[in-house]
Amino acid sequence: MSNSVGVVATKRAVFEMPLRFRSGAVLPRYELVYETYGTLNADRSNAILICHALSGHHHVAGYYSDAPNNIGWWDNMVGPGKPINTDKFYVIGLNNLGGCHGSTGPSSINPETGLPYGSSFPVITVEDWVESQARLASELGIDCFAAVVGGSLGGMQALQWSLAYPERVRHVLAIASAPRLTAQNIAFNDVARNAILTDPDFHGGDFYLHGVVPTRGLRLARMLGHITYLSDDAMADKFGRELRTGQYNYGYEVEFQIESYLRYQGDKFAAYFDANTYLLMTKALDYFDPAQDYEGDLNKAFARARANFLVISFTTDWRFSPQRSREIVRPLLHNHRNVSYAEITSNHGHDSFLMDDSQYMDVVRAYLANIRCGVKV
Amino acid sequence: MSNSVGVVATKRAVFEMPLRFRSGAVLPRYELVYETYGTLNADRSNAILICHALSGHHHVAGYYSDAPNNIGWWDNMVGPGKPINTDKFYVIGLNNLGGCHGSTGPSSINPETGLPYGSSFPVITVEDWVESQARLASELGIDCFAAVVGGSLGGMQALQWSLAYPERVRHVLAIASAPRLTAQNIAFNDVARNAILTDPDFHGGDFYLHGVVPTRGLRLARMLGHITYLSDDAMADKFGRELRTGQYNYGYEVEFQIESYLRYQGDKFAAYFDANTYLLMTKALDYFDPAQDYEGDLNKAFARARANFLVISFTTDWRFSPQRSREIVRPLLHNHRNVSYAEITSNHGHDSFLMDDSQYMDVVRAYLANIRCGVKV
């Protein structure tokens, strides 16, 4: 595969030091799985951290020797000569704490009990993730990231890096993100959560012990999610009112192709994703609000930031609309930060941040090409 | 109560003639409950039919002698001196066939079996409703309506009247409606339906026999619906990120006021609405497409229409956006129909059609004031 980072291997870091969550809960130990692409330079100044969104993970680029078709979720963005250029940068992808792809999460075995954490896994926040990521950075010998990059929920983590560790990140790329969710966005998350929480197979989060999975709830949550990740226009273009059998059958089986697509996506997701992780991810989205401790004033909240920023939004993204990105840009300008803002014309809604849009790719490529490595802040 | 039609009583019409549905299914007999306001004039030319949307019913205006607080759902629109002026017009509201407010529906007892229809109640379409409404009109001695009026799904019925019975309706008011759903809209309906269909208490539609109600599914369907009936801005204004207890509690109970609102609406709805009726209503929405028999060409589909039209949309309605209303206007203009189109600036999203917006009220008032009664088409 041209321009691929090629065969990659998943690594594992174990942290035996307790992590105190924002909620007050304490996790005595945890593990994070991660991958790295490219080479860390001599003064360790070329590292880029990729923060993932709701259903993402550590496998950002490349493929596995024993699974050549399992290609990283941002392989179009990360690789030699790609916008996040691994010839220049040392790129790190991780699975967030609470995840279900190898890092310690609700489906992991709690060594204290020998049983899955389940409902006992603490509610985690974006702040907690950044804390756990900072420990991973230290473990890897990285004092300061050249950049922290993320889309959607990942963008929130990138923003939080600039607030929690202003001296440890030179550039923040927040893509299709928001400084905090709106009521509508929280509402969508709440419906998705309620689908899972009220599934009789959820068992209060301890379904592992019952040998079942709250498939119905997860499936509904994912179906709903998918609608909000796509634009109305993109759905109309792709599916319109196309019928599966070419005629109306007047029943509750699939009639329209859009239904077939959604149910397929829901089934696929419910077969592998952990319901508790889904809940945790949506809660982290809801809770993130840098202005929470500043009487709601984002200008004050972002006063601590020292990084340079690239903020990107997409015209048809209605789940994290351009308006939300401008709410990131405004307080940064107020605080005289260097901010570049690009509003990309795209038809693909929120999913645009994962797509191969040339204008988008060029903006990221140009921005990162201008970063000088080997120069400390 | 000033300007109220006052005390009203529900009436019942029984149709012993079989109704053949578009699906081919036949209902041997059925009943419709309805209410009337105002007085039918001598030449029976001043009747207006109000068609309801997903969760509406026959109780459009006024109140009951034994329930003075049970006020009709469109009481702000219908009454003496109101936009739909009962001093001038004879107004009819009905509960659609398949409903759960008194007309024959899935929760009614099938006289052939002595059990609720449940899953045996046929899937019904907008065309079938208009057929059943036309029979009610004949029963009431109304050859031609001065107007048929409806919002949302009700607007589709009003449009269908102009196509099925071009000589029986002089004016059509289609408010916050669409000529046919987009993929996104079908997708939202499909998620809502799946919430109900996969609820273990649904029992394939025959939950009545099990003494349970698919509350979880109905609740989710309604919560999701509510999000799409409100605008992002209206939700932000009304709820923002307001917390119920003033602080984060890091759990899955209600944190934000918007969650409290949605869950309350969901619980309230699930306590009285019939799950099978919900399914039927969303299916009727999905299936309606006047161009279905015209190779998708709305211009050809509307060639039959003879009525005059008032089409109204609301700027922040994203479930039935102004673009959808313009898709009604365009084929009518193509066919040289008289069409008035008003795009109302409103903050309330799809729910605007039920609100007391003065610009909106004035448009309806002015349009209907110009209708001359006593003059046949």
Side-chain angles (χ1 to χ4, degrees), chain A residues 22-24 123 125 180-195 197-200 202 216 219-220 223-224 227-228 230-233 235-236 239-241 243 246-256 258-260 262-263 276 279-280 282-283 285-289 292 318 321 323-324, chain B residues 22-24 123 125 180-195 197-200 202 216 219-220 223-224 227-228 230-233 235-236 239-241 243 246-256 258-260 262-263 276 279-280 282-283 285-289 292 318 321 323-324:
Chain A
R22 207 173 139 91
S23 67
V123 168
T125 65
R180 51 190 172 194
L181 293 194
T182 61
Q184 188 191 62
N185 236 330
I186 294 170
F188 278 123
N189 284 341
D190 196 47
V191 174
R193 276 193 299 268
N194 269 276
L197 292 167
T198 64
D199 186 326
F202 182 63
R216 285 174 292 243
R219 182 174 177 266
L220 287 170
M223 288 171 74
L224 174 54
I227 300 176
T228 69
L230 298 175
S231 72
D232 191 8
D233 284 351
M235 267 196 182
F239 302 104
R241 294 182 54 83
L243 296 164
Q247 60 176 29
Y248 288 169
N249 296 302
Y250 301 103
Y252 297 113
E253 297 301 311
V254 166
E255 287 281 34
F256 295 92
I258 178 65
E259 297 174 299
S260 176
L262 277 186
R263 294 182 193 192
N276 283 309
L279 295 176
L280 290 176
T282 60
K283 271 297 190 185
L285 276 163
D286 288 6
Y287 284 132
F288 186 61
D289 180 4
Q292 171 85 348
W318 59 277
S321 72
Q323 196 184 333
R324 301 284 93 76
Chain B
R22 207 173 139 91
S23 67
V123 168
T125 65
R180 52 189 171 193
L181 293 194
T182 62
Q184 188 191 63
N185 237 329
I186 295 170
F188 278 123
N189 284 342
D190 195 47
V191 173
R193 277 194 298 268
N194 270 276
L197 293 167
T198 65
D199 186 326
F202 182 62
R216 285 175 292 242
R219 182 174 177 267
L220 287 170
M223 289 172 73
L224 173 56
I227 301 177
T228 69
L230 298 174
S231 71
D232 191 9
D233 285 350
M235 269 197 180
F239 303 103
R241 294 181 55 83
L243 296 163
Q247 59 174 29
Y248 288 170
N249 297 302
Y250 301 104
Y252 297 113
E253 296 304 308
V254 166
E255 287 280 32
F256 295 92
I258 178 64
E259 296 173 300
S260 177
L262 277 186
R263 294 181 194 193
N276 283 310
L279 295 176
L280 291 177
T282 61
K283 271 297 190 184
L285 276 163
D286 288 6
Y287 285 131
F288 187 60
D289 181 4
Q292 172 85 349
W318 59 278
S321 72
Q323 195 184 334
R324 301 283 93 77

Side-chain angles (χ1 to χ4, degrees), chain A residues 88-341:
Chain A
K88 175 178 178 181
F89 295 107
Y90 177 65
V91 179
I92 304 165
L94 86 158
N95 183 216
N96 275 353
L97 194 56
C100 56
H101 287 89
S103 292
T104 302
S107 58
S108 308
I109 298 297
N110 179 350
E112 290 177 17
T113 63
L115 299 171
Y117 284 95
S119 62
S120 74
F121 197 92
V123 168
I124 196 162
T125 65
V126 169
E127 291 87 340
D128 302 326
W129 278 331
V130 168
E131 207 52 41
S132 70
Q133 290 161 2
R135 289 189 184 177
L136 177 64
S138 300
E139 176 97 357
L140 298 177
I142 296 157
D143 289 336
C144 180
F145 281 110
V148 178
V149 181
S152 191
L153 176 56
M156 289 177 165
Q157 296 162 58
L159 292 176
Q160 175 60 18
W161 261 95
S162 76
L163 301 177
Y165 294 102
E167 310 299 336
R168 293 189 72 177
V169 53
R170 290 193 286 144
H171 296 270
V172 163
L173 278 70
I175 305 166
S177 193
R180 51 190 172 194
L181 293 194
T182 61
Q184 188 191 62
N185 236 330
I186 294 170
F188 278 123
N189 284 341
D190 196 47
V191 174
R193 276 193 299 268
N194 269 276
I196 293 169
L197 292 167
T198 64
D199 186 326
D201 287 336
F202 182 63
H203 293 287
D206 295 315
F207 51 90
Y208 317 99
L209 307 177
H210 294 78
V212 292
V213 169
T215 308
R216 285 174 292 243
L218 255 178
R219 182 174 177 266
L220 287 170
R222 186 60 164 184
M223 288 171 74
L224 174 54
H226 259 283
I227 300 176
T228 69
Y229 306 150
L230 298 175
S231 72
D232 191 8
D233 284 351
M235 267 196 182
D237 290 352
K238 194 168 172 185
F239 302 104
R241 294 182 54 83
E242 205 185 323
L243 296 164
R244 193 163 67 164
T245 64
Q247 60 176 29
Y248 288 169
N249 296 302
Y250 301 103
Y252 297 113
E253 297 301 311
V254 166
E255 287 281 34
F256 295 92
Q257 291 292 10
I258 178 65
E259 297 174 299
S260 176
Y261 170 81
L262 277 186
R263 294 182 193 192
Y264 171 77
Q265 293 292 341
D267 288 338
K268 199 172 71 168
F269 188 74
Y272 79 87
F273 205 83
D274 180 69
N276 283 309
T277 292
Y278 198 93
L279 295 176
L280 290 176
M281 294 283 164
T282 60
K283 271 297 190 185
L285 276 163
D286 288 6
Y287 284 132
F288 186 61
D289 180 4
Q292 171 85 348
D293 298 331
Y294 297 89
E295 293 131 10
D297 187 343
L298 285 169
N299 288 342
K300 287 184 188 153
F302 277 102
R304 280 174 293 166
R306 291 291 166 268
N308 304 297
F309 290 80
L310 172 60
V311 178
I312 298 176
S313 70
F314 300 93
T315 49
T316 54
D317 182 352
W318 59 277
R319 185 91 196 240
F320 288 81
S321 72
Q323 196 184 333
R324 301 284 93 76
S325 279
R326 289 193 290 267
E327 288 168 6
I328 300 171
V329 172
R330 225 171 285 125
L332 291 171
L333 290 177
H334 175 87
N335 286 294
H336 308 293
R337 293 298 93 206
N338 287 322
V339 193
S340 300
Y341 174 54

Side-chain angles (χ1 to χ4, degrees), chain B residues 22-44:
Chain B
R22 207 173 139 91
S23 67
V26 176
L27 202 60
R29 71 180 294 284
Y30 62 95
E31 301 181 15
L32 295 178
V33 293
Y34 65 100
E35 293 180 5
T36 64
Y37 322 107
T39 309
L40 191 59
N41 64 6
D43 65 356
R44 299 168 176 272

Side-chain angles (χ1 to χ4, degrees), chain B residues 57-76:
Chain B
H57 45 69
H58 55 288
H59 185 36
V60 174
Y63 51 92
Y64 300 126
S65 58
D66 60 349
N69 294 322
N70 185 354
I71 295 168
W73 58 268
W74 225 4
D75 196 77
N76 57 335

